[in-house]
Amino acid sequence: MTSSVAPETAPETGLGGRVLSALRWSFVATVVIRFSSLGVSVAMARLLGPSEFGVYAVAFVVLAAVLSLNELGVSVALVRYQGDERVVVPTVATLSMLGSLVCYAVIFSVAPGVAASFGAPAAVGPIRLIGLCVIVDGLAAVPVALLQREFRQKRRAVADITNFGVGSVISIGLAVAGMGAVSLAAGRIVGSVASVVLLVSSVRGRWRFGWDRNQAGGLLAIGLPLAGSSLVVFGILSLDQFIVGHLGGATVLGIYVLAFNLSSWPVTALSQPVRAVTLPLFARLADDPARFSRTAVDCLGALLAVTVPVATGLGASAYPLVRVVYGPDWVSSSPVLVWLAVLGGCRVLLELFYDLLVALGATRQLFGLQVAWLVVLAVGLPVGQHLGGPVGVAVAHSLVCLFVIVPLNVRAMVMRTGTPVRALVLASLGPAAGGCVIVLTAVALQRSVPDLFALAGTGLVAGLFALRGVLRLRGRVAR
């Protein structure tokens, strides 16, 4: 570095480069996994059918519940830790592993009761098998947090792709052999083990167990509210599946879960790679309110520019997508997907608000927002089920999120950061206009051409808008 570079600009340049590199590798892993998983999910859906798919869905719901709690939130505390991470790593590793072992013991014990409550008694074995992923996740907590903290997403990308690749091969092979829902659970656990081996090797010499009572107290003070919030989020995203499964059984649940998984594409394809950098980035800007606010508006506008095309294209193409890709056995998922696509788009924004509030240390306020969301859903979802079955549940969930929860999170962000509401509105106008164009295109094509051509045409238009948004996102991060 030459003397002509001002000292105060050097860290900024280094941070910008690391953020861009991490974001690039996050998107690489996401693109590879998402597009590959489309083929795998189609194959598994056709091999298993709605009933077996519903059995696996019950097991996965249980896993998601425990993964939201098992490491007690201390890995996130490690990501935002302001000092030398070597001081806290041993205690974080111990807390994560202890929490995971306790959680698996609970999974094993409650599996029969949970399976029965979802209307899928055959799910007991898959629940206990896939639950082993909780122990593997406890081992991975520290390596993942260290890689995220240091923006080393290339290592994480390799591990994630390995996880998906190994798990998919095992799942498809076992499904062909007639193992049913167990095939998905077994693939998940084998893939997770392969991934954790790579993750641990990437932080060799820094990952170890230990204990410091004082550090443990501080970590839990930050982590437990986050773990509680994550558990509430699980309830938010699973309450609809519980209601549908409890009243409709495994087959109806399988149909609903297929639509829910498809609607989650905006979250997994867009939010997850961006979240690999947003939390550590916002944590480093938390002491500069003006820059924090500008960066928040930039990220929101850029995320909307990518998310709206994907979500609207997905929802507007729900009928031809399901008919062409998944076949007639799954056509009942189409009207559910139309509405859940709205929920998927909203979830991308809510996860950005989550990272903003965590970076600002507003974990109690965040927990309150999540509890409010769960309470409103607890009232609205049964009403939706009564009026319209699974489609009514999807409508209720989406409307609650769009008209109640998103505004509450925007209000919290504005109050915490002083961000002008006008700036947020202006950042939303362009993406909203693009979404209208995509919907009109989809409607026109579906009325005039066969499903395959309508799907391809809508996908092309939505893809062009999304590509424009990706380029905008990259430019905003660079700035």
Side-chain angles (χ1 to χ4, degrees):
M1 185 180 297
T2 64
S3 59
S4 62
V5 179
E8 63 271 16
T9 65
E12 175 67 16
T13 302
L15 178 60
R18 282 183 290 161
V19 170
L20 277 175
S21 176
L23 189 60
R24 186 181 305 116
W25 278 105
S26 294
F27 271 111
V28 167
T30 300
V31 168
V32 171
I33 293 172
R34 285 295 97 198
F35 281 94
S36 300
S37 68
L38 178 60
V40 173
S41 65
V42 172
M44 295 302 296
R46 289 180 177 271
L47 285 168
L48 298 181
S51 181
E52 286 289 342
F53 198 81
V55 169
Y56 170 74
V58 174
F60 187 78
V61 165
V62 175
L63 176 65
V66 179
L67 288 180
S68 67
L69 184 65
N70 68 304
E71 45 87 24
L72 308 176
V74 292
S75 64
V76 178
L78 174 57
V79 173
R80 69 182 298 274
Y81 186 72
Q82 298 298 321
D84 184 351
E85 73 276 2
R86 291 174 296 181
V87 176
V88 297
V89 160
T91 305
V92 171
T94 301
L95 286 171
S96 299
M97 200 63 229
L98 288 175
S100 298
L101 290 170
V102 170
C103 285
Y104 181 71
V106 173
I107 287 176
F108 194 91
S109 300
V110 304
V114 171
S117 68
F118 271 91
V124 175
I127 288 173
R128 287 173 170 170
L129 178 60
I130 201 172
L132 292 170
C133 290
V134 174
I135 299 175
V136 180
D137 185 73
L139 293 171
V142 166
V144 168
L146 288 174
L147 294 178
Q148 184 178 357
R149 175 184 173 88
E150 297 161 3
F151 302 102
R152 296 171 60 198
Q153 283 303 119
K154 181 178 179 179
R155 298 279 186 148
R156 176 73 185 275
V158 171
D160 289 344
I161 292 172
T162 300
N163 187 341
F164 170 78
V166 172
S168 297
V169 170
I170 297 296
S171 293
I172 292 176
L174 292 178
V176 171
M179 295 295 291
V182 171
S183 60
L184 282 164
R188 178 93 182 193
I189 184 66
V190 174
S192 298
V193 171
S195 173
V196 82
V197 170
L198 294 176
L199 289 169
V200 171
S201 67
S202 68
V203 293
R204 189 182 296 112
R206 302 167 62 196
W207 178 83
R208 60 188 178 85
F209 293 104
W211 186 256
D212 184 320
R213 185 173 62 181
N214 295 327
Q215 293 289 351
L219 290 166
L220 290 173
I222 297 173
L224 284 178
L226 295 177
S229 180
S230 297
L231 187 60
V232 174
V233 170
F234 156 76
I236 290 166
L237 298 179
S238 302
L239 182 59
D240 53 353
Q241 297 177 36
F242 174 78
I243 291 173
V244 170
H246 183 69
L247 298 177
T251 300
V252 176
L253 176 62
I255 288 171
Y256 186 91
V257 169
L258 180 75
F260 186 88
N261 290 344
L262 285 171
S263 75
S264 298
W265 263 65
V267 181
T268 53
L270 305 175
S271 182
Q272 287 182 4
V274 171
R275 292 190 79 191
V277 301
T278 48
L279 179 55
L281 175 62
F282 286 132
R284 298 186 186 209
L285 299 178
D287 294 331
D288 188 342
R291 281 187 68 208
F292 190 101
S293 179
R294 289 196 304 271
T295 303
V297 173
D298 279 348
C299 286
L300 179 66
L303 264 184
L304 282 171
V306 185
T307 300
V308 171
V310 176
T312 54
L314 190 62
S317 300
Y319 283 90
L321 173 63
V322 173
R323 284 195 294 259
V324 170
V325 177
Y326 290 94
D329 289 344
W330 296 93
V331 71
S332 300
S333 294
S334 299
V336 179
L337 177 58
V338 170
W339 286 98
L340 289 184
V342 177
L343 176 64
C346 291
R347 285 173 58 197
V348 175
L349 303 183
L350 292 173
E351 291 192 350
L352 177 65
F353 293 138
Y354 180 98
D355 287 345
L356 285 167
L357 294 175
V358 169
L360 293 170
T363 53
R364 291 185 179 180
Q365 184 177 16
L366 179 63
F367 183 72
L369 288 170
Q370 308 294 6
V371 170
W373 189 356
L374 183 59
V375 169
V376 177
L377 285 181
V379 176
L381 293 185
V383 174
Q385 171 71 26
H386 177 72
L387 295 177
V391 178
V393 171
V395 172
H397 204 163
S398 300
L399 294 182
V400 165
C401 187
L402 182 62
F403 293 110
V404 179
I405 306 306
V406 169
L408 286 176
N409 277 266
V410 169
R411 179 176 178 271
M413 172 188 168
V414 169
M415 292 180 63
R416 281 279 178 174
T417 64
T419 304
V421 176
R422 182 174 179 272
L424 300 177
V425 173
L426 290 176
S428 307
L429 292 179
C436 292
V437 172
I438 293 167
V439 171
L440 292 175
T441 301
V443 172
L445 288 173
Q446 289 172 41
R447 290 181 175 179
S448 57
V449 299
D451 282 345
L452 182 60
F453 294 105
L455 184 61
T458 304
L460 177 61
V461 174
L464 290 173
F465 275 102
L467 177 61
R468 179 175 177 269
V470 169
L471 296 176
R472 179 182 177 186
L473 177 61
R474 186 184 185 281
R476 293 296 177 93
V477 172
R479 187 176 72 178

